[in-house]
């Protein structure tokens, strides 16, 4: 009999080199799109790319399958150069069902790639998503490069002999899509295989199923002609060092542990779980071997009060929450102001008011942080600008708290908390010192005598000869004895305000990106940093005299901010609120401020900001 001809290996596909690419994974919250996106991000991180991510969760814990409000997404931009944001419009959208397609299609680039799981486009799911006809057949996707693939059926075929039930097989679809994306963008398979085996070490059958599905998706790309070309992005140049991927919540946890080590103080976290701050509690609980104590309190009030008690006892004290929790902590923050104890309060902001949009991004708690207490109770306020910046902000918040003996509010938000970017792990010797001295000498001790920072002495309870009173009632300006004297109260109110104001004397000069003077200065804070930076860089490259000043310190404001604003004709303030920093700047500097505001639970796009800037620059 004639010998069968050997099967020829598939011809290599042409490779298109890209400067950067934006990919979005989208599906039901049970489709594992967050996991697929996160694993893809780890793969590009290992390859040395700069990248940024933006997870997008539904607010409902168990949203009905196939509904528009149950769609979960994960976007990543990775590049051969520095990345500031997770990208504006995706180049590639992976849509696992009709609802994911309908919610995300408006964001896809004109002519962008669209990988669609055709197996989920049933009559029932189309109706649930509000499609009168199947968009895969009616020509409505003509402006995109559509790649239809029945991922559901292919996953089932790959696991036909796995012994898993139908629901378990369906949960593996995300790994099929991930395998195909790894192939399409020239990412290695074996690293992800090892990651799956580690992740599912407790369940070998699930590990084997997910590996088989991942390999099947990768092999489909190799052996079928679905995609005519593949894509490659060169690694970005980096400073030498050790890098890891980090979310904002992880970076905060690591920063506070570093502050504990640098100060020699044990770290105490009193917290109540709340989205999107809970992962700080989870991360610190896993680091208890670094003299970290975590206390999951019964409510927000108990959480902050336990932290105040820990601070009184001589620990580096921390409490974490989101906007609704800040409301409940308000009275106790006033107690920390009155007792002049060091404490860091982290507010991971989310859409509000009330329960609002608990999984969406917003930065609408600035005025609450600045003024949201009864009485004259000023508190230093800082804001992180990115996931990696959270580490440095945690150190800085702790430094200010212990040096000035004051509570400090540190603002993050849901985009920073859950977003991921590369972080260069610092050498311990390169970290700034965080000295702490407790008073032990009873000679001449006065509980409210102050140093050059207007800070009173920190005394551990039980130190011989240093017994003293603190509490919510007003104290004498020196002895700490109870006092209802009107002039003493005015003096103490003014001293506490002056102590916070004096922090500005030690702040570093405010950096200005782009033009140092000119037609437009863009002033931002928090997570608007990435979009503003990229837009300003774009206009600066066009020869426009545009600068960008981003504020880490929001109370007190940097001493040189007024002079910087005076060097520019127009001030623009983009905020994910209705103009809270703009209000502060108008009141403080008597300058007209142009606002650009967004409260949609989504970050600014670079394109929108660049368009507004061009309108203001001649």
């Amino acid at each position: 009999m004639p010998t069968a001809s050997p099967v020829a290996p598939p011809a290599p596909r042409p490779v298109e080199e890209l400067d950067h690419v934006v990919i979005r994974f989208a599906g039901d919250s049970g489709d594992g799109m967050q996991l697929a996106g996160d694993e893809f991000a780890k793969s590009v991180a290992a390859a040395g790319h700069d990248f940024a991510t933006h997870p997008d969760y539904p607010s409902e814990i168990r949203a009905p399958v196939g509904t528009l409000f149950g769609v979960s997404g994960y976007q990543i931009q990775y590049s051969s150069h520095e990345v500031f944001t997770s990208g504006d419009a995706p180049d590639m959208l992976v849509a696992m069902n009709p609802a994911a397609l309908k919610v995300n299609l408006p964001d896809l680039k004109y002519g962008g790639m669209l990988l669609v799981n055709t197996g989920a486009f049933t009559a029932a799911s189309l109706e649930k998503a509000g499609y009168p006809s199947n968009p895969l057949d009616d020509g409505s996707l003509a402006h995109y490069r559509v790649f239809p693939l029945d991922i559901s059926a292919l996953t089932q075929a790959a696991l036909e002999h796995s012994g898993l039930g139908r629901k378990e097989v369906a949960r593996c679809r995300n790994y099929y899509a991930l395998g195909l994306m790894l192939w399409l963008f020239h990412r290695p398979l074996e690293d992800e295989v090892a990651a799956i085996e580690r992740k599912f070490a407790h369940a070998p059958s699930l590990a084997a199923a997910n590996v088989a599905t991942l390999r099947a998706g990768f092999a489909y790309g190799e052996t079928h002609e679905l995609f005519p070309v593949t894509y490659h992005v060169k690694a970005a140049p980096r400073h030498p060092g050790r890098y890891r991927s980090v979310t904002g919540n992880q970076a905060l946890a690591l920063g506070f542990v570093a502050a504990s080590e640098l100060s020699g103080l044990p770290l105490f976290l009193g917290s109540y779980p709340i989205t999107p701050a809970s992962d700080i509690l989870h991360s610190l609980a896993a680091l208890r071997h670094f003299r970290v104590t975590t206390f999951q309190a019964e409510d927000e009030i108990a959480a902050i009060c336990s932290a105040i008690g820990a601070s009184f006892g001589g620990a580096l004290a921390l409490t974490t929450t989101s906007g609704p929790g800040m409301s409940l902590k308000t009275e106790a923050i006033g107690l920390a102001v009155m007792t002049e104890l060091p404490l860091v309060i982290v507010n991971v902001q989310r859409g509000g008011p009330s329960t609002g949009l608990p999984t969406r991004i917003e930065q609408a708690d600035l005025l609450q942080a600045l003024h949201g207490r009864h009485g004259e109770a000023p508190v230093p306020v800082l804001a992180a600008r990115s996931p990696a910046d959270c580490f440095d902000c945690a150190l800085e918040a702790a430094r200010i708290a212990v040096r000035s003996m004051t509570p400090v509010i540190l603002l993050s938000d849901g985009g920073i908390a859950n977003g991921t970017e590369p972080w260069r792990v610092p050498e311990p010797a390169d970290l700034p010192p965080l000295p702490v001295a407790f008073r032990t000498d009873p000679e001449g001790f006065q509980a409210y005598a102050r140093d050059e920072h207007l800070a009173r002495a920190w005394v551990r309870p039980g130190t011989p000869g240093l017994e003293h009173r603190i509490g919510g009632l007003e104290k004498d300006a020196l002895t700490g004895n109870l006092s209802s004297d009107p002039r003493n109260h005015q003096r103490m109110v003014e001293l506490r305000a002056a102590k916070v104001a004096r922090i500005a004397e030690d702040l570093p000069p405010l950096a200005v990106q782009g033009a140092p003077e000119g037609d437009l200065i863009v002033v931002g804070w928090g997570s608007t940093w990435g979009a503003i930076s990229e837009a300003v860089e774009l206009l600066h490259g066009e020869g426009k005299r545009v600068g960008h000043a981003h504020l880490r310190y929001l109370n007190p404001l940097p001493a040189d901010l007024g002079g910087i604003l005076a060097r520019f004709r127009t001030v623009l303030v983009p905020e994910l609120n209705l103009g809270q920093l703009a209000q502060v700047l108008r009141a403080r500097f008597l300058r007209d401020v142009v606002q650009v505001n967004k409260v949609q639970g989504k970050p600014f796009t670079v394109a929108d900001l660049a368009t507004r800037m061009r309108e203001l620059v001649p």
Side-chain angles (χ1 to χ4, degrees), residues 12-146:
R13 236 61 61 87
V15 179
E16 183 177 335
E17 293 287 342
L18 300 176
D19 176 66
H20 69 281
V21 68
V22 180
I23 303 171
R24 184 181 297 179
F25 297 84
D28 265 322
S29 51
D31 281 336
M33 293 294 95
Q34 301 295 330
L35 177 60
D38 190 51
E39 292 302 308
F40 191 89
K42 291 175 182 177
S43 180
V44 300
H49 296 287
D50 198 14
F51 70 95
T53 73
H54 181 72
D56 187 17
Y57 304 90
S59 297
E60 292 76 10
I61 295 174
R62 294 185 181 274
V65 174
T67 58
L68 299 180
F69 54 86
V71 172
S72 178
Y74 189 105
Q75 182 161 306
I76 175 172
Q77 177 177 208
Y78 71 103
S79 176
S80 59
H81 54 76
E82 187 176 7
V83 166
F84 295 100
T85 73
S86 61
D88 284 4
D91 301 291
M92 159 68 76
L93 171 63
V94 180
M96 297 296 284
N97 64 8
L101 177 64
K102 189 164 191 178
V103 168
N104 291 280
L105 187 63
D107 295 335
L108 185 62
K109 277 184 180 176
Y110 186 90
M113 295 183 287
L114 177 57
L115 176 64
V116 183
N117 174 26
T118 60
F121 279 64
T122 63
S125 62
L126 288 166
E127 181 181 1
K128 195 176 290 186
Y131 277 116
S133 60
N134 192 333
L136 302 179
D137 303 326
D138 63 11
S140 60
L141 303 179
H143 299 306
Y144 308 98
R145 289 177 285 165
V146 182

Side-chain angles (χ1 to χ4, degrees), residues 218-577:
F218 196 94
Y220 189 95
E222 286 183 319
T223 58
H224 291 73
E225 301 295 330
L226 182 65
F227 293 96
V229 298
T230 60
Y231 302 93
H232 180 258
V233 180
K234 292 181 180 179
R238 283 194 189 163
H239 297 294
R242 185 159 53 105
Y243 288 82
R244 60 160 287 180
S245 299
V246 70
T247 67
N249 281 345
Q250 291 169 343
L252 283 172
L254 293 171
F256 287 118
V257 170
S260 171
E261 292 291 308
L262 290 167
S263 64
L265 301 176
L267 179 64
F268 178 90
L269 168 64
S271 185
Y272 181 77
I274 183 171
T275 301
S278 299
D279 280 342
I280 306 172
L281 172 61
H282 303 157
S283 296
L284 284 174
L287 297 171
R288 56 187 177 274
H289 49 289
F290 286 103
R291 294 197 305 163
V292 175
T293 299
T294 54
F295 169 53
Q296 182 173 317
E298 64 269 28
D299 56 42
E300 296 281 5
I301 300 170
I304 187 172
C305 288
S306 69
I308 292 172
S311 179
F312 178 63
L316 182 62
L318 167 69
T319 188
T320 55
T321 189
S322 187
M326 286 294 288
S327 301
L328 293 169
K329 292 180 189 292
T330 296
E331 184 180 359
I333 295 174
L335 175 62
V337 170
M338 198 69 162
T339 56
E340 300 190 49
L341 284 169
L343 171 69
V344 179
I345 305 114
V346 175
N347 176 3
V348 185
Q349 302 164 97
R350 69 192 208 185
S354 188
T355 308
L357 300 174
T359 62
R360 301 291 197 265
I361 187 173
E362 200 165 282
Q363 48 176 184
D365 295 349
L366 176 58
L367 293 181
Q368 180 194 43
L370 295 175
H371 307 299
R373 292 164 293 283
H374 71 278
E376 294 286 345
V379 171
V381 179
L382 284 70
R385 69 185 192 184
S386 70
D389 187 51
C390 285
F391 179 86
D392 296 325
C393 285
L395 286 177
E396 181 67 354
R399 183 187 67 84
I400 291 173
V402 299
R403 189 192 64 183
S404 297
M405 291 293 287
T406 179
V408 176
I409 294 175
L410 173 54
L411 299 174
S412 174
D413 63 42
I416 292 174
N418 297 314
T420 309
E421 68 179 355
W423 173 54
R424 186 172 181 265
V425 180
E427 293 296 329
D430 296 335
L431 295 175
L434 210 166
V436 173
F438 290 96
R439 173 92 184 227
T440 57
D441 181 9
E443 183 68 28
F445 173 65
Q446 297 275 12
Y448 280 88
R450 299 174 186 276
D451 63 14
E452 68 274 17
H453 302 294
L454 297 183
R456 71 173 186 86
W458 198 359
V459 179
R460 283 194 178 102
T463 304
L466 296 179
E467 296 80 7
H468 63 286
R469 291 181 177 180
I470 61 172
L473 290 171
E474 188 63 277
K475 307 296 184 298
D476 181 80
L478 278 177
T479 66
N481 295 330
L482 297 181
S483 173
S484 58
D485 178 62
R487 288 170 296 180
N488 177 78
H489 177 56
Q490 173 137 357
R491 183 183 180 191
M492 287 295 276
V493 167
E494 291 172 347
L495 277 170
R496 288 188 289 263
K499 178 173 67 171
V500 174
R502 186 168 293 192
I503 293 169
E505 297 177 2
D506 298 315
L507 301 184
L510 181 59
V512 178
Q513 172 198 1
E517 60 182 347
D519 296 309
L520 178 67
I521 178 73
V522 186
V523 182
W525 68 278
S527 61
T528 58
W529 172 77
I532 296 174
S533 295
E534 195 166 330
V536 168
E537 188 175 275
L538 187 63
L539 267 73
H540 193 60
E542 296 171 2
K544 309 292 187 182
R545 296 195 305 160
V546 177
H548 171 206
H550 212 76
L551 303 181
R552 170 181 285 181
Y553 304 94
L554 294 159
N555 190 42
L557 290 167
D560 55 351
L561 177 57
I564 291 171
L565 298 184
R567 302 201 299 261
F568 291 85
R569 180 176 56 84
T570 303
V571 179
L572 174 68
V573 180
E575 296 183 82
L576 298 176
N577 58 48

